[in-house]
Amino acid sequence: MRLHRLVLTAFGPFGGAQEVDFDALSSGGLFLLHGPTGAGKTSVLDAVCYALYGAVPGARQSPGTTLRSDHADPALPTEVLLELTVGGRRLEISRSPAQPRPKKTKAGGFTTEKAQSRLREHDPGQGWKPLSKSHQEIGEEITRLLGMSREQFCQVVLLPQGDFARFLRSDAEARGRLLGKLFDTRRFAAVEERLAELRRAAEARVRAGDERVLAVAQRLAQAAGPAAETPEPNAQPGDPGLAGQVLEWAAVARGGARERLDIARVVLDAAEARHRTTRSALDAELETDRLQRRHEETLRRAAGLEAGRPERDRCHERLERARRAERVAPALDLRDEAEHAAGRAAAARDRHRAQLPPDLADAGADRLAAVERDFRQQLGALDAARRAERRIAGIDAERAALDRDAGADDELVRESADWLDGWPETRRALAVRLEAAQDAATVAEQLAGRLAPLRRRLEAARRRDSLAEESAAVRSRRDDARERALDAHEHWLGLRERRLRGIAAELAAGLTDGEPCAVCGSATHPEPARPGDGHVDRATEERALEAHRSAEQARARAEQDLEVVRERYASAQAEALEPRPDADPATPAAAPSGTGADTPAVRDLESRVAELNTAYAAAHRTAAGTHAAREALAAAEREHGERLDEVRRAERRAAGRTSRREALDEEQRTLRADLDQVRTGGATIAEHAGRLERRAALLADAAEAVRAEQEAAARRKEADGRLSDAAFRAGFDTPQAAAAALLDAAAQRGLQARVDAWQTEAATVADRLAEADAQEAARQAPARPEAARAAHDEAERALRRATTALAAARERCAELDRLSAAVDRDVRQLGPLRQEYERVARLATLTAGTSADNERKMRLEAYVLAARLEQVAAAATARLRRMSGGRYTLVHSDARTGSRRAGLGLHVVDSWTGRERDTATLSGGETFFASLALALGLADVVTDEAGGMRLDTLFIDEGFGSLDDQTLDEVLDVLDSLRERDRSVGIVSHVADLRRRIPVQLEVVKERDGSTVRHRAG
């Protein structure tokens, strides 16, 4: 890799654009990069790193810092451009960080521009060709070409001597962290961690398996109960012999359980035999007791039957008389019915005779019937006259109906004539109303189209006035923020200048006797500077810088707020203006501070909106009646046609009524003449016919009542004869005796049930007295079933206890067999897990350095880094021997120090004394060239590790002030020898003697408006 050109624009301390020509600087092989403290020497190296990797070295990439120069003009963007050759390709990389830039609007303000990257490649035939603008693609391409990460690049190309001096004096852990970053041994650490994880996982699986076995063992102990003659194993998860102990204890528990099962079977057989014996004895005693009690009960029932025999005979005799009386019952019912019928007929006869005239009160049925026939003949002669009389009344009613219809039609014709006379005026009024409503709808639509834009303009005008007030307040805050930002900037610059004037005292405060100076490298400090009056320390300056940045951010926010308000005001102003056909839509509105003549006032717009609202409301109300007006006109036209039809129908009905009235008058005259011939006296035909009808009906009813009374008396006499004959045949002296012996069905069923019950009981008692077993039991001694039951209950309880004990023993054996099988299965599954755990544990402890087989207690990553450190020590020794005149040699040591682990020790061998000592014992100058040799050796090893990428440009930062003249010459000779491989080495230093020894120089000049660079060729 060779650098050609670097251009820094507004980067770090460089306020403008500065160009570094590395081709010119590399012409002499060695070149010096110098300048006062704080001028920006390290910023040149930061720019190289930023161009390649998009970030500065990690130590200077602190949060809150910015790469943009505070001296730069706001319109000048920050950019770094690097031109280099790597892998045989000439590339140009340009990067710009995220930074604020002025807005391109009249309102001003700032906006944040995103970070940008660009990669180009030079083609001899076509010139520069763009390759990519992606941050990720460019970073991956550069890392692939260089073969190293940003951390490796900063250690290999930008050699920081202070870091390597600390590397020489640090312990093994610190060296391991640095070497791990450079050689990327994270994969070996990952292997260690992975093995540790596998070990923990395997151990967890083994412990989980042991816990499962112990859990089953506890369940075995619970299932075994008293059968477990020995206590369960007292082992912990992870113990090697846990599985064997559990299996042995389970076998013993199973044997004890089977012995208890055999004993339970013998006990159960004995209990069953005793239970059968007591059951038989109990059944015999119970049967004897039952038969004895049955015989006693039979004797009591026989005595009861004899005592109830007289009552049974009375019931039987009464039941027989009732059954004979049932044969007389039909005749009794018939005689009672005839008696009642005769009484009713005599009462009806007397009632009808009382209504007859005296001359007919005692007449017989035949005479009454003859008088009735005479009245019926007279009624037949009056039927035609009654019909004529009813027709005359109907004609009068029909004539009255015709008169009512005629009056109604006359009223309808008069009303229709009045309405039709006003029809033309009514139709014109309705047509005018409809036309007015339609015109109002058109006007309302036009007003609505004008009202909506005017309302939007009114709302916009209100927003415009509000934003004008808000703009004044925001502008005031912006001016205040701008003043505060300027004051903070001036205050910070003043403090910075005062601090730079007293920076020597600040650096002197950090000096320690015996430690090299960070500026000159000397370990002696004869006259350190003292702080003067008004000295400003670093913390004060940083607080001022932070205050300046905060004020600047507040100013930027205020600018942005003002810009937003202005844009909103312009939008509202444009919306509030009345559009004109000749106006340009792209013309921006006036700023909040300006008020043009065309700017509409809110009051004017409100007045116009109110006027339009009033007119629109009136037009809308009128237009709302359009449908009603149209419906009213259509209804009036329908009513006009209907009234014309009604007048015509009324005229036709009047003509029909005239002809009908003439016909009715003629018919009525004819009927009246016929009635005058038939009437006699002053009564009407209907009244005379009604009297005849009533007399005929009264005579007919009286004749029928006389005949019915005669028939009922005959039936009663016949029923009396039949009743007397039936009573005699049934064995009764009189009909009254038969009636007294009658019983209803319920009473007969009751008597029969009592007789049947006595007979059934007598048969049952006779059967039970004849039972031989009952007679035999009665001759025996009284039975004792309670004693037999007590003996049987005790035998049954003993049987249940034996059955329960046998079931428990069987269940215990089955559960122990099942759990023992589960233990065997878990133990078999645990075997491979334990083997895997032992294998992984051996590997994990070996790579972690805790195994007894690892004698030096070296971790795997430390072992790999030790090999790399041995290579670095060998490469550094070649240059260290030359720098030290053959005196010193760097060697790697893997010996242990105290309780620390071995592997990353670094010693120096002094050929003058022949002794090996720690690198921390070197003096300041010796430490410098030893660290320089170590840095160059490390660069060679890392370069080889990265694939042999050639590094043609190197930078060495500080430390030369600690060397005497002879050692400085030897160091410069070593650096100068790097040119043999066509390398160029840049030395960053304050040492004034180097300016005389190295003619090619890049000077960084510090000025108030930003640093600049100058090339010196000698």
Side-chain angles (χ1 to χ4, degrees):
M1 180 197 72
R2 176 178 293 277
L3 305 181
H4 298 291
R5 185 169 66 97
L6 175 68
V7 180
L8 305 90
T9 305
F11 183 86
F14 303 99
Q18 303 295 323
E19 181 175 353
V20 179
D21 188 355
F22 285 109
D23 288 337
L25 294 174
S26 301
S27 60
L30 283 177
F31 64 90
L32 179 65
L33 176 59
H34 68 94
T37 302
K41 301 184 296 297
T42 306
S43 296
V44 175
L45 308 184
D46 291 347
V48 173
C49 184
Y50 177 73
L52 292 173
Y53 294 97
V56 298
R60 294 183 288 279
Q61 189 70 38
S62 58
T65 59
T66 178
L67 301 179
R68 179 169 175 78
S69 175
D70 295 330
H71 303 284
D73 185 86
L76 182 64
T78 298
E79 184 182 26
V80 175
L81 185 146
L82 177 64
E83 186 178 337
L84 74 160
T85 298
V86 57
R89 300 167 61 186
R90 184 148 184 164
L91 304 176
E92 180 187 83
I93 309 170
S94 63
R95 294 184 187 269
S96 299
Q99 55 189 309
R101 65 167 177 80
K103 290 184 178 179
K104 299 180 180 180
T105 61
K106 293 183 179 180
F110 288 86
T111 184
T112 301
E113 191 173 73
K114 296 182 179 180
Q116 299 180 5
S117 299
R118 186 174 65 253
L119 176 63
R120 299 196 302 171
E121 183 177 3
H122 186 268
D123 189 336
Q126 301 179 2
W128 290 102
K129 297 188 303 180
L131 296 182
S132 177
K133 291 184 178 181
S134 170
H135 302 297
Q136 183 177 357
E137 291 179 357
I138 295 174
E140 292 174 353
E141 180 68 13
I142 295 302
T143 302
R144 183 185 65 81
L145 291 174
L146 293 178
M148 62 183 75
S149 64
R150 177 169 62 90
E151 290 78 8
Q152 291 175 322
F153 178 84
C154 294
Q155 295 291 340
V156 173
V157 179
L158 311 178
L159 302 178
Q161 295 307 299
D163 291 348
F164 283 96
R166 287 189 295 273
F167 181 83
L168 288 173
R169 295 188 178 95
S170 61
D171 56 11
E173 294 295 333
R175 289 173 184 162
R177 287 194 294 271
L178 177 60
L179 292 174
K181 293 179 181 178
L182 294 176
F183 293 105
D184 193 14
T185 57
R186 289 174 296 178
R187 59 186 182 278
F188 300 102
V191 170
E192 296 177 23
E193 182 62 28
R194 179 58 178 166
L195 287 174
E197 292 177 359
L198 291 176
R199 175 187 178 182
R200 290 191 293 270
E203 182 179 6
R205 289 193 293 272
V206 170
R207 291 181 66 87
D210 287 346
E211 290 174 355
R212 287 195 299 271
V213 171
L214 285 176
V216 177
Q218 292 176 358
R219 293 167 61 190
L220 276 168
Q222 295 175 357
E229 300 176 357
T230 59
E232 62 177 301
N234 187 17
Q236 299 297 325
D239 293 349
L242 182 142
Q245 296 177 21
V246 172
L247 291 175
E248 181 180 357
W249 180 83
V252 173
R254 289 197 304 275
R258 288 191 177 89
E259 291 178 359
R260 289 179 177 269
L261 177 60
D262 295 338
I263 295 172
R265 289 196 182 100
V266 174
V267 172
L268 178 62
D269 292 341
E272 289 176 345
R274 185 177 176 220
H275 182 265
R276 288 192 297 271
T277 301
T278 56
R279 178 74 258 182
S280 298
L282 176 61
D283 292 343
E285 286 295 321
L286 290 174
E287 180 63 17
T288 300
D289 181 67
R290 184 185 68 82
L291 292 175
Q292 289 177 351
R293 286 187 284 106
R294 180 181 178 88
H295 185 70
E296 293 176 355
E297 182 185 0
T298 302
L299 293 178
R300 287 193 301 272
R301 292 169 66 179
L305 284 174
E306 288 302 323
R309 184 180 294 276
E311 178 65 22
R312 177 259 177 193
D313 294 341
R314 286 192 298 273
C315 290
H316 186 270
E317 182 181 0
R318 186 178 180 188
L319 182 61
E320 286 297 326
R321 285 177 59 81
R323 288 175 178 171
R324 285 189 287 111
E326 285 182 352
R327 296 197 293 272
V328 185
L332 285 171
D333 295 339
L334 181 60
R335 195 264 178 195
D336 290 340
E337 184 179 354
E339 183 69 25
H340 293 311
R344 290 193 298 272
R349 180 202 60 192
D350 295 341
R351 188 170 59 253
H352 285 90
R353 285 184 180 277
Q355 299 177 8
L356 295 176
D359 56 340
L360 296 177
D362 295 327
D366 295 336
R367 184 182 177 191
L368 294 175
V371 176
E372 179 197 0
R373 286 194 295 273
D374 183 53
F375 285 159
R376 296 291 180 189
Q377 292 174 359
Q378 295 179 22
L379 282 172
L382 294 176
D383 285 342
R386 282 189 295 178
R387 287 195 296 273
E389 191 175 38
R390 286 197 297 271
R391 177 57 185 158
I392 290 172
I395 291 173
D396 292 338
E398 188 174 355
R399 186 184 290 110
L402 290 175
D403 293 339
R404 288 195 299 272
D405 292 343
D409 285 344
D410 292 342
E411 180 65 25
L412 176 62
V413 170
R414 285 194 300 273
E415 182 184 357
S416 298
D418 294 341
W419 191 90
L420 291 172
D421 291 341
W423 165 243
E425 184 63 29
T426 301
R427 190 178 189 285
R428 275 196 305 275
L430 291 174
V432 170
R433 177 186 170 190
L434 176 61
E435 184 178 359
Q438 292 174 344
D439 294 342
T442 304
V443 172
E445 184 177 359
Q446 295 173 354
L447 291 175
R450 294 172 55 195
L451 187 59
L454 191 60
R455 285 174 177 169
R456 289 195 295 270
R457 290 180 57 202
L458 175 59
E459 183 63 26
R462 289 171 177 167
R463 290 201 312 273
R464 177 203 63 202
D465 295 348
S466 176
L467 289 171
E469 298 176 358
E470 184 179 354
S471 175
V474 173
R475 189 183 301 107
S476 177
R477 291 198 300 271
R478 191 274 314 271
D479 296 340
D480 295 341
R482 181 180 293 173
E483 290 296 330
R484 287 193 296 271
L486 292 176
D487 294 343
H489 186 255
E490 291 296 329
H491 179 63
W492 170 63
L493 290 177
L495 291 178
R496 180 179 179 83
E497 186 174 1
R498 287 166 57 190
R499 182 187 171 216
L500 291 176
R501 286 198 299 268
I503 195 65
E506 184 176 336
L507 294 174
L511 294 176
T512 304
D513 292 339
E515 296 292 333
C517 175
V519 178
C520 64
S522 174
T524 59
H525 320 294
E527 294 182 2
R530 304 288 181 181
D533 296 337
H535 174 68
V536 177
D537 56 6
R538 181 185 183 89
T540 303
E541 181 191 352
E542 289 179 350
R543 286 195 297 272
L545 177 59
E546 183 64 26
H548 161 57
R549 289 174 178 167
S550 299
E552 187 64 26
Q553 292 174 358
R555 181 195 61 77
R557 288 193 298 271
E559 293 283 356
Q560 292 176 356
D561 293 344
L562 181 59
E563 179 63 22
V564 170
V565 171
R566 285 175 173 171
E567 291 176 356
R568 293 170 58 194
Y569 177 86
S571 175
Q573 174 70 351
E575 190 176 353
L577 291 176
E578 183 174 5
R580 291 176 296 180
D582 56 346
D584 185 5
T587 303
S593 60
T595 56
D598 296 335
T599 302
V602 173
R603 289 191 300 275
D604 297 339
L605 292 175
E606 289 177 344
S607 176
R608 294 173 61 186
V609 168
E611 294 175 358
L612 284 180
N613 270 331
T614 302
Y616 173 76
H620 186 269
R621 284 193 301 272
T622 304
T626 302
H627 179 73
R630 186 179 291 110
E631 291 294 327
L633 179 59
E637 290 177 346
R638 287 193 300 273
E639 184 178 1
H640 175 258
E642 292 172 356
R643 287 183 179 273
L644 291 176
D645 293 340
E646 288 176 353
V647 169
R648 286 192 289 270
R649 286 195 296 271
E651 293 174 350
R652 288 194 295 270
R653 288 195 298 271
R657 282 194 298 273
T658 301
S659 59
R660 179 60 179 166
R661 189 178 288 110
E662 293 175 352
L664 290 175
D665 291 343
E666 181 62 26
E667 182 181 3
Q668 192 175 36
R669 282 193 300 273
T670 302
L671 291 174
R672 288 186 184 278
D674 294 338
L675 285 177
D676 290 341
Q677 296 177 2
V678 178
R679 274 197 197 98
T680 59
T684 62
I685 298 300
E687 291 174 350
H688 183 56
R691 284 196 300 272
L692 292 176
E693 181 71 29
R694 286 192 296 274
R695 290 175 181 175
L698 183 60
L699 290 171
D701 292 340
E704 181 64 26
V706 170
R707 283 193 293 270
E709 188 273 335
Q710 293 173 353
E711 292 176 357
R715 286 194 298 273
R716 180 178 59 185
K717 183 177 181 181
E718 182 181 2
D720 289 338
R722 290 181 180 180
L723 176 59
S724 298
D725 185 57
F728 178 74
R729 286 196 300 270
F732 293 101
D733 296 335
T734 62
Q736 289 77 15
L742 280 174
L743 293 175
D744 57 11
Q748 290 187 29
R749 285 195 300 272
L751 291 174
Q752 184 66 46
R754 293 172 66 183
V755 172
D756 293 342
W758 191 93
Q759 292 176 351
T760 302
E761 179 68 10
T764 302
V765 169
D767 292 340
R768 292 177 64 171
L769 288 173
E771 293 176 353
D773 53 354
Q775 295 176 4
E776 179 66 24
R779 289 191 292 270
Q780 296 179 5
R784 297 176 59 193
E786 291 78 9
R789 185 178 302 279
H792 174 265
D793 291 344
E794 179 59 30
E796 190 171 10
R797 286 193 293 271
L799 178 60
R800 285 198 297 269
R801 289 194 296 269
T803 303
T804 302
L806 178 61
R810 286 174 176 169
E811 184 177 359
R812 182 182 299 111
C813 290
E815 183 67 12
L816 289 177
D817 291 340
R818 187 182 65 81
L819 293 175
S820 297
V823 167
D824 292 339
R825 183 172 59 254
D826 291 342
V827 170
R828 286 194 299 272
Q829 293 176 355
L830 187 58
L833 295 178
R834 188 173 294 279
Q835 294 176 2
E836 180 185 2
Y837 166 69
E838 292 173 355
R839 182 175 63 256
V840 172
R842 284 196 302 272
L843 288 174
T845 54
L846 184 63
T847 55
T850 58
S851 173
D853 298 333
N854 193 335
E855 296 178 357
R856 298 188 180 276
K857 305 299 180 184
M858 292 179 64
R859 295 171 48 246
L860 177 62
E861 184 182 16
Y863 178 78
V864 176
L865 292 177
R868 294 288 187 267
L869 182 60
E870 190 173 359
Q871 296 174 356
V872 171
T877 296
R879 295 183 174 86
L880 180 59
R881 291 178 62 85
R882 184 173 177 183
M883 293 180 187
S884 62
R887 178 178 178 182
Y888 294 117
T889 302
L890 282 175
V891 294
H892 163 252
S893 173
D894 56 5
R896 296 180 61 186
T897 303
S899 61
R900 298 181 179 178
R901 297 182 181 180
L904 296 179
L906 191 62
H907 291 172
V908 62
V909 178
D910 190 347
S911 61
W912 289 5
T913 62
R915 298 179 65 86
E916 180 178 326
R917 55 194 174 99
D918 193 272
T919 53
T921 61
L922 295 174
S923 65
E926 292 171 342
T927 298
F928 168 73
F929 60 70
S931 62
L932 177 59
L934 185 64
L936 294 175
L938 181 62
D940 292 340
V941 174
V942 173
T943 301
D944 295 338
E945 181 75 13
M949 174 60 64
R950 179 180 175 84
L951 303 176
D952 297 322
T953 305
L954 297 176
F955 294 91
I956 301 174
D957 190 2
E958 290 298 351
F960 292 89
S962 60
L963 304 179
D964 55 29
D965 292 342
Q966 180 180 356
T967 305
L968 181 60
D969 289 338
E970 293 175 352
V971 170
L972 291 178
D973 289 342
V974 172
L975 295 178
D976 191 56
S977 66
L978 296 176
R979 289 186 298 173
E980 297 173 359
R981 300 170 64 180
D982 197 19
R983 285 182 175 177
S984 60
V985 180
I987 299 175
V988 183
S989 179
H990 294 279
V991 179
D993 191 39
L994 289 176
R995 301 175 195 171
R996 178 179 56 81
R997 296 172 179 263
I998 302 176
V1000 180
Q1001 302 175 9
L1002 177 66
E1003 181 182 6
V1004 182
V1005 181
K1006 180 170 64 174
E1007 298 176 353
R1008 185 176 182 84
D1009 55 353
S1011 300
T1012 58
V1013 297
R1014 298 176 184 174
H1015 294 75
R1016 298 181 183 275

